[in-house]
Amino acid sequence: MQNLWSDEEAKAFKTDLEMRVYTSNLLGRSDELVLHGGGNTSVKTVTNGEDILLVKGSGWNLVDIKAEGFAPVKMKTLLEMAELKELSDSDMVSGQKAAMIDKSAPNPSVEAILHAIIPFKVVDHTHADAIVTMSNSVTGLQNIQKVFPNFLIIPYIMPGFILASKINEMIQGLDWSTCEGMILHNHGIFTFDDDAKKSYDKMIHAVTLAEDFLRENAAIIFDELTPKVFDVKKINIDAFMHINQTPLALHYASKDNLSAFATRGVLTPEHIIRTKRVPLILENENVEDALIAYEKEYIKYFEAFSKDEIMLHPKPKYAVIKDFGVVSFGKTQKEADVINDVVSHTMLAVLRADKLGGYTSISLKNSFEMEYWELEQAKLKK
Ligand SMILES: [Zn+2]
């Protein structure tokens, strides 16, 4: 993939924070690295003699984050938190807020502790398509070990405190001089360095290795297809729609047995907030019947895992319509467009992962934990 660093542009940025803003924006410019609020970045610095982690604030997108989008949190507090045996995610968030030296800054990313325990000045985290495509396949672990022998590989753990805590355990005694980065199974990738450009270069290099692997082992050629006629107005879900009939969407929707093929889960956990775990599938059935069946299935999933959560609306966020394409639904056009972006990246990953032996995502239980995570719920309300 393209390295977007420009010496000319970089000249304008002097301080740690300015440089952090610049390479965060560079990461954000590549859709194949992060989409709509995905990923996070940080830089460790010293303010008034105190070690501070400047970490992406929630609600900001890497592509247009500015200096005020970074939350300044005391390193000491974060490192202490990493050593705790137990900590709820809401206590983590309030503890981090209390440790901010500027209370008007946004809430720090839920990955702040993880950024703090990585002993390098600059830390970059993305959900790079090529990495999660490799990782979300049945041969994922072995392929990743082969392509990334010097990376620390972390099995899937829900983001937040338990992930940071588990990684804190795994890095005890780690020789960082030979560690080129971290791959979080079914989630994404971290690179780090004491230099912002080098950390960015490492991200681009690693993702390029994954892209090369996919080009060799998982090339997709789209069939030339003409969409069938279908009246999307029959699906009455939200006020706005995004109809996708690109060669990718048509190819995807032409697959046999869509109810098994197109329902294998999200590409990276936070996508579930936007897309739900599975779409509505319309092969030949009546739209009404399919919607009723979808809701029934969703309620079954909710009841299987819920304790005291309140159920979200059991309606699909998008539909895969046999030989027609993919339709995303939103309360606004922007929401429908965002879902379409996320689904587009997922479709290509599914097709490619199938070439690697089969696409596979996190379990139903892990999906539920993410979909009903109190912190993600809070994000949505914004
Ligand atoms: Zn992430």
Side-chain angles (χ1 to χ4, degrees):
M1 70 172 295
Q2 219 195 328
N3 187 316
L4 302 176
W5 176 275
S6 147
D7 284 333
E8 204 43 46
E9 279 178 357
K11 261 191 221 156
F13 307 106
K14 302 276 185 294
T15 65
D16 288 346
L17 179 55
E18 285 169 358
M19 193 50 90
R20 177 64 286 181
V21 169
Y22 177 56
T23 60
S24 300
N25 294 161
L26 290 185
L27 293 168
R29 275 188 223 163
S30 301
D31 276 359
E32 62 268 44
L33 292 179
V34 287
L35 281 174
H36 306 296
N40 41 60
T41 57
S42 68
V43 61
K44 297 178 184 76
T45 187
V46 176
T47 305
N48 298 328
E50 183 150 35
D51 289 334
I52 298 296
L53 180 79
L54 289 160
V55 62
K56 191 191 103 161
S58 66
W60 286 83
N61 290 319
L62 290 182
V63 66
D64 53 11
I65 194 167
K66 297 181 174 57
E68 61 267 31
F70 285 87
V73 193
K74 292 177 186 168
M75 277 291 287
K76 187 171 174 286
T77 308
L78 293 169
L79 295 177
E80 282 166 6
M81 280 181 167
E83 300 298 329
L84 296 175
K85 287 270 167 293
E86 254 177 60
L87 182 65
S88 77
D89 284 326
S90 41
D91 287 346
M92 173 184 80
V93 167
S94 53
Q96 286 174 355
K97 259 185 113 162
M100 276 167 40
I101 56 167
D102 172 3
K103 301 287 188 242
S104 68
N107 276 349
S109 156
V110 294
E111 308 295 14
I113 299 177
L114 182 44
H115 282 257
I117 61 176
I118 297 173
F120 289 89
K121 189 177 178 75
V122 176
V123 177
D124 291 333
H125 168 51
T126 72
H127 302 148
D129 285 347
I131 301 287
V132 286
T133 299
M134 284 181 75
S135 162
N136 283 16
S137 79
V138 291
T139 51
L141 274 180
Q142 74 204 59
N143 287 333
I144 284 173
Q145 272 158 1
K146 210 164 59 190
V147 178
F148 299 100
N150 298 325
F151 273 63
L152 190 63
I153 315 289
I154 317 286
Y156 178 78
I157 301 170
M158 163 121 175
F161 175 73
I162 50 168
L163 175 62
S165 165
K166 177 74 193 166
I167 293 179
N168 193 41
E169 235 174 81
M170 290 177 73
I171 60 178
Q172 298 307 315
L174 177 72
D175 178 4
W176 288 98
S177 69
T178 59
C179 180
E180 292 174 12
M182 257 185 228
I183 291 177
L184 277 54
H185 206 48
N186 306 116
H187 176 164
I189 174 171
F190 278 80
T191 56
F192 30 78
D193 200 280
D194 288 331
D195 177 83
K197 177 176 189 295
K198 283 186 186 150
S199 184
Y200 173 75
D201 288 345
K202 283 177 181 176
M203 178 66 72
I204 302 304
H205 178 68
V207 176
T208 303
L209 286 179
E211 285 179 343
D212 291 346
F213 176 87
L214 292 176
R215 200 169 301 115
E216 264 171 51
N217 298 286
I220 306 289
I221 298 154
F222 298 134
D223 308 326
E224 284 217 23
L225 299 164
T226 314
K228 74 167 185 193
V229 176
F230 178 85
D231 180 10
V232 289
K233 285 192 216 85
K234 284 196 286 189
I235 321 174
N236 190 11
I237 293 187
D238 271 322
F240 294 89
M241 285 189 195
H242 185 119
I243 299 169
N244 185 342
Q245 295 185 308
T246 56
L248 167 62
L250 273 177
H251 182 93
Y252 193 81
S254 74
K255 291 288 176 179
D256 291 334
N257 194 9
L258 282 178
S259 12
F261 170 80
T263 57
R264 286 176 287 169
V266 292
L267 193 51
T268 185
E270 69 170 36
H271 285 176
I272 203 162
I273 310 304
R274 309 223 184 242
T275 63
K276 281 210 164 73
R277 200 183 72 84
V278 294
L280 174 71
I281 302 294
L282 292 171
E283 287 181 289
N284 292 305
E285 55 278 79
N286 167 295
V287 173
E288 283 286 289
D289 292 349
L291 269 171
I292 292 169
Y294 184 96
E295 296 196 6
K296 262 195 188 154
E297 201 51 42
Y298 187 83
I299 293 167
K300 213 168 94 189
Y301 154 77
F302 178 79
E303 286 174 349
F305 300 106
S306 63
K307 291 179 202 91
D308 52 6
E309 294 84 354
I310 297 164
M311 192 173 74
L312 301 168
H313 216 304
K315 286 186 306 189
K317 297 285 195 177
Y318 70 105
V320 180
I321 304 166
K322 178 72 177 166
D323 296 329
F324 174 82
V326 172
V327 182
S328 299
F329 313 108
K331 285 179 200 66
T332 59
Q333 189 59 49
K334 167 88 181 153
E335 186 191 4
D337 295 347
V338 165
I339 292 170
N340 178 66
D341 282 345
V342 169
V343 172
S344 299
H345 285 253
T346 307
M347 290 192 288
L348 185 59
V350 168
L351 293 167
R352 290 177 130 179
D354 274 348
K355 300 266 178 190
L356 301 174
Y359 179 83
T360 174
S361 171
I362 56 175
S363 69
L364 282 175
K365 183 171 183 289
N366 286 331
S367 300
F368 180 87
E369 280 174 5
M370 196 66 202
E371 189 173 350
Y372 282 87
W373 191 17
E374 48 182 315
L375 302 179
E376 284 295 339
Q377 294 296 303
K379 239 193 241 175
L380 267 192
K381 281 173 198 142
K382 278 190 185 161

